Amino acid sequence: MTDGNDENKDEINDDIDVIWWLLGVITGVVLTAKYIQFLGVARDENLPLSQGILMLVCMFGPTIFLGWVAGRLREEVQRGRMPWEVYWTVLSGIAASIFTFLGVTGIDDILKAGDFLFSSDG
């Protein structure tokens, strides 16, 4: 019989990265909402190219970056250089730091940002 702890030890499912992507999407939505509020532009107003590119970076940059971080940390766990406890500690530390930096104090702040960005009001 095989020991339950040693089955699939070398194979880590890539689906665990979805947690990091979700964190990146939430961060991107909040960051983009704050950027649009800072600019004070209307939805139908044309933006200069530089501001449009910066807005796209605010929306998709955190997801891409955190996906990259997830891949590196998963590789370290796979190689045995990092235990899962450290992986989850790093994940929770990054999440707390990002949300503190953005001023997100609760789920209502995230919902307000999503409503601001995706509402049909013009």
Side-chain angles (χ1 to χ4, degrees):
M1 271 188 106
T2 60
D3 185 14
N5 292 335
D6 290 333
E7 295 178 9
N8 300 334
K9 185 174 183 180
D10 296 328
E11 296 179 24
I12 297 176
N13 195 345
D14 293 349
D15 294 341
I16 194 124
D17 292 351
V18 171
I19 298 168
W20 290 83
W21 296 337
L22 181 62
L23 177 63
V25 168
I26 292 170
T27 303
V29 167
V30 172
L31 191 58
T32 303
K34 288 186 179 279
Y35 181 65
I36 291 172
Q37 288 175 340
F38 167 76
L39 290 177
V41 296
R43 290 187 187 273
D44 57 351
E45 187 176 336
N46 289 331
L47 291 176
L49 181 62
S50 61
Q51 287 180 345
I53 290 173
L54 186 55
M55 189 177 303
L56 288 174
V57 169
C58 287
M59 180 61 101
F60 299 111
T63 305
I64 294 167
F65 177 73
L66 290 175
W68 177 79
V69 169
R72 300 298 74 76
L73 292 178
R74 188 176 21 81
E75 287 174 5
E76 294 301 314
V77 171
Q78 225 168 1
R79 291 178 186 155
R81 294 182 183 170
M82 176 189 302
W84 279 109
E85 293 82 8
V86 173
Y87 176 90
W88 291 110
T89 303
V90 169
L91 174 66
S92 59
I94 288 175
S97 299
I98 287 172
F99 290 139
T100 301
F101 178 73
L102 291 176
V104 176
T105 58
I107 190 73
D108 58 326
D109 293 333
I110 296 169
L111 294 175
K112 285 180 193 174
D115 187 41
F116 176 76
L117 281 182
F118 303 115
S119 68
S120 61
D121 299 345

